[in-house]
């Protein structure tokens, strides 16, 4: 009853109140909840000797541990209290899981907000500095052509020809701005989900297609520009694997290092072409890495295959 009552009370973190209920139920001298990394999330009393440690499992995963100290001067937790702790532990695990989901949701919301604001600022700069002046120039030129139409048709013709060139340039600028938009998949699924979605869309990992492996353990929250650069480098690399390599296996690895985020895409295909000249895709990937102060390397693998490696530093240039 005390555990249930603790869950009904509005709180930012239900773990401490539920831990108090568990400790009270078994008359424990102390109780501590730790997460999977061993970090203390909540504690009651002063831990001593003879504590009973119980894993907190939910959905087949161990989320952490519950440690309960003996009460009443006992050297260890009695069998009856141990059974009660074992019965309450799954409920505490559910609360821990809910807490983690709430924490993940807050982080994801913050990531999307930061990325959206950065994208909006970039669009504002592009439109204000590029497309805005271009359209204003076209409007002024058309006005001048209108005034010259009756008295100097040749001048009006020249003015209209120049305005047409400027209009073509404005169209190219619009396309450049659109091409630079942050991929929607990043906001909807995050970096890992967007990579998986792109790989699946290219046929990687599907029946009859090349095998696909994505390795990325313990990635922290990434700055929007790093996340987008990593995604576009991986997406371009995967496209090259499917279109040109004839590979049977492709692996993407995203790993944190002291230098920054390391992006590695490898395959067992035909390798680099004999000419060794980089295409537009490779140039684009190198520019994305260089814009962040990073580097990108493409190398052949023996006996066959290609590896694309990029390092994107945490702090830009």
């Amino acid at each position: 009853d005390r555990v249930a009552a603790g869950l009904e009370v509005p709180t930012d973190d239900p773990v401490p109140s539920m831990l108090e209920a568990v400790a009270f139920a078994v008359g424990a001298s102390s109780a501590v909840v730790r997460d999977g990394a061993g970090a203390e999330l909540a504690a009651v009393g002063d831990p001593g000797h003879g504590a009973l440690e119980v894993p907190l499992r939910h959905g087949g995963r161990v989320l952490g541990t519950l440690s309960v100290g003996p009460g009443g001067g006992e050297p260890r937790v009695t069998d009856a209290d141990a059974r009660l702790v074992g019965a309450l532990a799954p409920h505490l695990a559910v609360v821990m899981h809910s807490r983690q989901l709430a924490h993940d949701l807050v982080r994801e919301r913050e990531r999307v907000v930061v990325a959206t604001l950065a994208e909006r600022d970039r669009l504002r700069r592009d439109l204000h500095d590029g497309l805005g002046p271009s359209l204003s120039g076209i409007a002024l030129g058309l006005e001048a052509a209108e005034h010259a139409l009756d008295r100097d048709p040749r001048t009006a013709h020249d003015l209209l020809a120049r305005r047409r060139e400027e209009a073509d340039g404005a169209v190219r600028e619009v396309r450049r701005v659109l091409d630079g938009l942050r991929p929607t998949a990043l906001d909807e699924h995050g970096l890992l989900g967007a990579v998986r979605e792109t790989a699946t869309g290219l046929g990687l990992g599907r029946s009859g297609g090349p095998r696909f492996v994505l390795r990325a353990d313990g990635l922290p929250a990434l700055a929007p520009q790093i996340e987008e650069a990593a995604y576009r480098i991986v997406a371009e690399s995967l496209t090259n694997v499917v279109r040109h390599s004839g590979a049977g296996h492709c692996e993407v690895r995203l790993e944190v290092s002291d230098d920054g985020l390391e992006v590695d895409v490898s395959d067992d295909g035909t390798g680099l072409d004999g000419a060794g000249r980089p295409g537009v895709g490779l140039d684009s990937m190198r520019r994305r890495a260089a814009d962040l102060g990073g580097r990108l390397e493409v190398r052949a693998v023996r006996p066959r295959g290609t590896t694309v490696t990029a390092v994107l530093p945490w702090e830009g240039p």
Side-chain angles (χ1 to χ4, degrees), residues 137-163:
I138 292 173
L140 291 174
L142 291 175
E143 184 178 348
E146 183 182 13
H147 292 321
L149 187 59
D150 294 330
R151 50 189 174 77
D152 193 350
R154 183 177 182 81
T155 299
H157 177 78
D158 292 341
L159 287 171
L160 289 174
R162 287 199 294 271
R163 297 298 82 79

Side-chain angles (χ1 to χ4, degrees), residues 126-127 129-131 168-178:
D126 285 348
L127 295 177
D129 298 340
L131 194 57
D168 290 340
V171 171
R172 289 193 296 271
E173 178 68 8
V174 170
R175 288 173 177 166
R176 184 192 68 79
V177 171
L178 292 177

Side-chain angles (χ1 to χ4, degrees), residues 279-311:
V280 174
L282 288 178
D283 286 341
S284 175
M285 289 191 289
R286 286 195 173 97
R287 282 199 305 272
R288 290 190 184 280
D291 287 344
L292 295 177
R295 62 185 186 276
L296 183 137
E297 178 186 3
V298 181
R299 64 183 185 278
V301 179
R302 303 295 182 186
R304 54 184 282 128
T306 305
T307 296
V308 177
T309 302
V311 178

